[in-house]
Amino acid sequence: MRNLSVLEETAVALPEGVRVLDLCVDAVESRTFVVAGDSTATAQLLTYDRAYLLTSTAALPFAASERIAGMHFLMEREQVVVALESGDICTIDSSGAVDTVGTVDARIAAWRWSPDDEVLVLVTGEDRLLLMTADFDVLGESPLAAGQREDAPVSVGWGARETQYQGRDAQPAPESVSRLSGDDDMRVRVSWRGDAQFFAVSFVRQGARALRVFARDGRVHSEGEGAETLEHTLAWKPSGRLIAATARRAHRHEVVFFERNGLRHGEFALRAGTGRVRELSWNAESSVLAVVAETRDGACVQLWADKNYHWYLKQELRARDVVRAVWDPEESLRLTVVCARGFVRVQLHSAAAVAHAASLESNAAACVVDGARVLYTPFAHANVPPPMALHTLDAPMSVRHVAFAAFGAGNGFALLLADQRTVVLYECDAGKARPRELRYVELPADARARQVAWAERDVLVSLGAGGVSVTDVAAGSTRVCAGSAGMGLAVLAAAPLVGQVLAAGAGGRVYSVALDASEPWALAQLPAPCAEVDAADCGALGAVVVGRTARNQLYANSRLLSAACSSFFLRRDMLLFTTTTHCLRVAAADASLVTGAGAADGDGDEAAAGQGEARRRIERGAAIVLAAPAGDAVVFQMPRGNLETVRPRALVLAAVRRMLDAREYRRALAACRANRIDMNVLYDHAPAAFMADVDAFVAQVRECDLLNLFVSGLRDEDVTRTMYPGIGADRGARAAAGSGDSAGKTTAVCRALRPVLQARADAARLLPTVLTTLVCERPPAIDEALGVIAALGADERDAALTHLLFLTDVGTVYDAALGRYDLALALRVAERSQRDPREYLPELRALRALESEELRRFTIDAQLRRPARALGHLCAAYAEGACAWDALVAYVDEHALHRECLALLAGHARAPDMHVAYGDALARDKQWAQAAAAYMLSQRAHAQAVDALVAGRQWQLALALAAAPGSGFGAQR
């Protein structure tokens, strides 16, 4: 989903009449070495610095008419080595001293240094292979076409076609003929693998081009599989998997790939109209293949990249008299296009062309460039995986840059074509409609635009060699912004969130482009130049610029957000970015981006990713394509090219909060259910508002299952302070609001919902939810739920009972049914349990067999360990004569229920006896004073009362009681 855009394009022209013979680069010092000269003078070595200024000139000991086999910069020795096809090899050091180190008598047909600069491969004019060290000592020499590969099998004829009987009518198999292409230059090519362990040589043998792979020591490793009309180009992918070459067939021109063992491994066709291919070269990351080819419009450099087993033509660089392309060994997307009269240094950047508008009507579309085709997919309506697309648009020529509109819904887009002056505008309605071509815009001939931005419907902004230009589409006029030519601008991007067009300079300064073509004004100063920029409105702080550098640093103005950012996307409310540690991070697009309040500085501990709202683990190498402007979906592209859509928790919660603020309870509940968000957030987000809208909540949700899901998930905890505290500045406010305790919340919500459910016209349908609210109270109101069930008809009772047993433990419901003294209901519950009927049937039969209802209830309460209630029924059974006094006294003594029993027996004839029993119990516990009082209240146990006082050593009270009339004590005693 990523396109290649041109950030910088610097052309260096040589003096009149001087032509470029060859070129190489110094990646460390960013120097460019050019061997140049005219046909009548000696050649010279020109050195250019990183600013492309000529710093030195050295005369070389050969004429400019000599053909150069190649040149190379040795980094450790700081020498430029130049080899001539005549066989001479000379070196030029940093001081400009030239030294001829030797001559190859048989001439030099091809040469190539290993990537580690330790081994030099030379192919002589006699087709001999020479290996040399960096000191030009010969390591080995062998014939190029002779020798057998080291792993060649030995055939004894068994199983060969020649030894097999093919039948009477068998015809000899036609031999595969490999012939030379008409575009072949008959020259030898050498290419090394990135680890310098193998190299490949392409050469002409017996009228056909052959490919051989050699080990580092010169042994033949394998031979290439025969391919019809294989051409002279050769480039081994640095990552080591494929060797690229070109072949011309009758119906198409294609790039073919070989494995290290020489077998074919796929191909792709070049665009129609591509003529002779001069050269192939891979960049340092093996991600882009440069094809220098001749087309109808002249020679150009085509940049190809593959994803999902499809090759895309990402960029077509056109220059005058293109000769070859040289990649920078360190900067993987820096390319030098060598021309006949100079060179062009091009800095590329890979980024997705997606819509950034915050409108709810945005299609969230993306455009993928594939030569003159643009693959358009609106992800808000259709997630079509590459290399397919919802719509394929055809442009008149290759597309150089894509920019989405910064106005309205942001669904339109502009295409800058490869001629760097033609812009095609497209408009598109919301939905899956095909984009419509609106008009063509012709920029001035000298504009040489490399990026465009569609700021307003009739205003187009372009960045080119002359700076920033503003084009009035309706009037057809173009004006250059004052002072923009000297600002060193590299990036032009529309920022719809702030309604501005941003231009980023090489020094890290970001400007806002004035649409009236006045001088751009500085908006922010970033610590480093950024290849991707966007801006968000942060309230009082105004526009905050977010930028990502080519070295994966992410800044918000001057603050470093991450030192390992691999991609980012800015929405109106949130900033999403991925890190090289395979984590998705989300930050609020507010003042905390700059101040750091409520957000972690730097990268923090990635081990905690996935545990919080702001972090989530992602697949290795995944990059953000886009995020829905107001939804919760984020589209990622994986390293192999496929797309995956995820819904990060932070975005889901943000959407849920917006729904709750808008009182869209059903949508909020559905979002929580689909994304496994704790549904307590529906209440905890705004408790007072929820309690006031209980009627609306029930009316919107309606479905019994969804209501049950919400009620059953309630718990006494404020999840907005514990689980989902938010991000950015809101996080600190929630953390300071309280500890997260919310005692009584569950019961309060259940009691608020229940009358609303019971008052509805369809209350019978919502009966399971009523039961759920009873069960989920703290403590559960099981007895009340059984009371609701008992009032139902037989069929409804069974369904309700099944639902109740689903919610809670069957043993608890069984005990509650027994506690209601409803043996029939208890039997129904037991039948739905896993209990053995031999356990509960005898128990229920024994209870039913009791003749006294009070005695039956006493037995049930005693079994359920409800002694207070059991005592009441036992006293009533004694009053009926169904229970003996001794049994009553024994139960009271066992459970220490003397006070309760005395209250129940108040005025009864046996109440004094219970006082005596109470006194005995207290005496056993050595509570002598209380025991004496109980004895005295019985009015029958004065002696026991005196004994208790004596045991308690309360002598005065004991003597007074003993001397009292009627105590039964004589004077002597």
Side-chain angles (χ1 to χ4, degrees), residues 515-578:
L515 300 185
D516 60 356
S518 60
E519 183 175 354
W521 53 277
L523 185 63
Q525 175 64 57
L526 304 183
C530 293
E532 301 174 35
V533 292
D534 204 345
D537 186 1
C538 294
L541 291 179
V544 173
V545 177
V546 178
R548 173 179 169 266
T549 69
R551 299 186 180 276
N552 297 331
Q553 295 166 321
L554 183 67
Y555 293 99
N557 284 357
S558 60
R559 177 171 176 251
L560 178 65
L561 298 178
S562 174
C565 172
S566 56
S567 63
F568 82 94
F569 190 90
L570 184 62
R571 302 195 335 171
R572 183 178 295 277
D573 56 343
M574 291 185 185
L575 169 66
L576 299 93
F577 62 94
T578 58

Side-chain angles (χ1 to χ4, degrees), residues 24-28 71-81 111-121 132-137 139 192-197 216 329-330:
C24 66
V25 296
D26 174 12
V28 176
M71 66 181 295
H72 182 75
F73 177 74
L74 296 176
M75 190 177 303
E76 292 185 359
R77 299 171 180 262
E78 292 193 358
Q79 289 181 340
V80 176
V81 184
W111 85 328
R112 182 62 62 92
W113 285 88
S114 64
D116 56 8
D117 290 343
E118 293 182 0
V119 180
L120 171 63
V121 174
M132 293 184 178
T133 65
D135 296 323
F136 301 100
D137 296 328
L139 293 174
W192 281 88
R193 198 171 74 171
D195 60 359
Q197 297 302 310
R216 183 185 177 94
E330 300 293 336

Side-chain angles (χ1 to χ4, degrees), residues 330-408:
E330 300 293 336
E331 294 286 343
S332 60
L333 291 180
R334 181 178 293 173
L335 178 69
T336 301
V337 180
V338 183
C339 304
R341 302 295 179 181
F343 62 91
V344 181
R345 178 63 63 89
V346 179
Q347 181 65 54
L348 302 166
H349 180 68
S350 177
V354 296
H356 286 262
S359 171
L360 296 178
E361 297 180 358
S362 173
N363 290 334
C367 287
V368 180
V369 174
D370 187 9
R373 298 190 307 161
V374 176
L375 311 180
Y376 172 85
T377 300
F379 284 94
H381 306 283
N383 194 336
V384 181
M388 298 177 290
L390 186 64
H391 299 295
T392 300
L393 310 176
D394 293 320
M397 64 184 74
S398 295
V399 177
R400 189 178 182 90
H401 187 251
V402 180
F404 275 85
F407 57 88

Side-chain angles (χ1 to χ4, degrees), residues 874-875 878 882-892 901-902 905 908-917:
L874 187 59
C875 291
Y878 172 74
C883 173
W885 173 259
D886 293 339
L888 175 60
V889 173
Y891 188 78
V892 170
C901 187
L902 287 171
L905 294 177
H908 197 276
R910 300 302 298 268
D913 296 333
M914 185 54 65
H915 278 293
V916 173

Side-chain angles (χ1 to χ4, degrees), residues 716-942:
D716 293 344
E717 175 187 349
D718 188 351
V719 297
T720 62
R721 298 176 186 169
T722 56
M723 295 180 64
Y724 312 127
I727 58 177
D730 183 55
R731 181 184 183 91
R734 291 183 181 274
S739 61
D741 296 331
S742 187
K745 179 187 81 175
T746 302
T747 300
V749 174
C750 290
R751 290 179 179 175
L753 284 172
R754 191 157 55 248
V756 175
L757 295 169
Q758 293 172 334
R760 287 180 60 86
D762 55 348
R765 181 181 64 83
L766 298 175
L767 178 62
T769 305
V770 174
L771 298 176
T772 304
T773 60
L774 292 168
V775 171
C776 292
E777 285 189 10
R778 299 293 181 267
I782 304 296
D783 184 70
E784 188 176 347
L786 289 174
V788 173
I789 293 175
L792 300 175
D795 296 337
E796 296 177 345
R797 185 186 303 123
D798 288 341
L801 187 58
T802 300
H803 179 74
L804 182 63
L805 294 177
F806 171 75
L807 295 175
T808 187
D809 179 58
V810 65
T812 304
V813 179
Y814 177 76
D815 291 343
L818 279 180
R820 293 181 57 83
Y821 317 116
D822 190 340
L823 299 184
L825 183 59
L827 178 60
R828 288 178 178 270
V829 173
E831 288 174 344
R832 285 166 172 77
S833 68
Q834 300 296 324
R835 297 178 61 182
D836 190 344
R838 291 176 295 182
E839 296 180 4
Y840 63 82
L841 286 179
E843 176 185 349
L844 294 177
R845 289 194 186 109
L847 291 174
R848 193 178 296 276
L850 294 176
E851 296 181 357
S852 171
E853 179 64 24
E854 296 295 338
L855 189 59
R856 181 184 300 114
R857 294 189 176 191
F858 160 73
T859 305
I860 292 174
D861 288 333
Q863 177 181 333
L864 298 179
R865 298 177 182 177
R866 300 188 294 189
R869 297 180 63 177
L871 178 62
H873 295 299
L874 187 59
C875 291
Y878 172 74
E880 294 176 353
C883 173
W885 173 259
D886 293 339
L888 175 60
V889 173
Y891 188 78
V892 170
D893 285 342
E894 179 183 358
H895 296 283
L897 297 173
H898 300 85
R899 290 178 180 272
E900 291 81 357
C901 187
L902 287 171
L904 292 172
L905 294 177
H908 197 276
R910 300 302 298 268
D913 296 333
M914 185 54 65
H915 278 293
V916 173
Y918 187 25
D920 293 342
L922 293 172
R924 285 192 297 271
D925 293 338
K926 297 183 179 182
Q927 300 180 28
W928 306 111
Q930 293 85 342
Y935 287 135
M936 290 297 295
L937 289 173
S938 70
Q939 300 179 357
R940 298 178 183 177
H942 290 79

Side-chain angles (χ1 to χ4, degrees), residues 1 55 173 242 259 319 350 422 424-425 440 512 548 722 750 819 829 862 871 879 885 906 958:
M1 302 299 294
T55 59
L242 298 175
E259 297 180 6
S350 177
T422 305
V424 186
L425 302 182
Y440 279 71
S512 178
R548 173 179 169 266
T722 56
C750 290
V829 173
L871 178 62
W885 173 259

Side-chain angles (χ1 to χ4, degrees), residues 165 518 656:
Y165 177 66
S518 60
V656 168

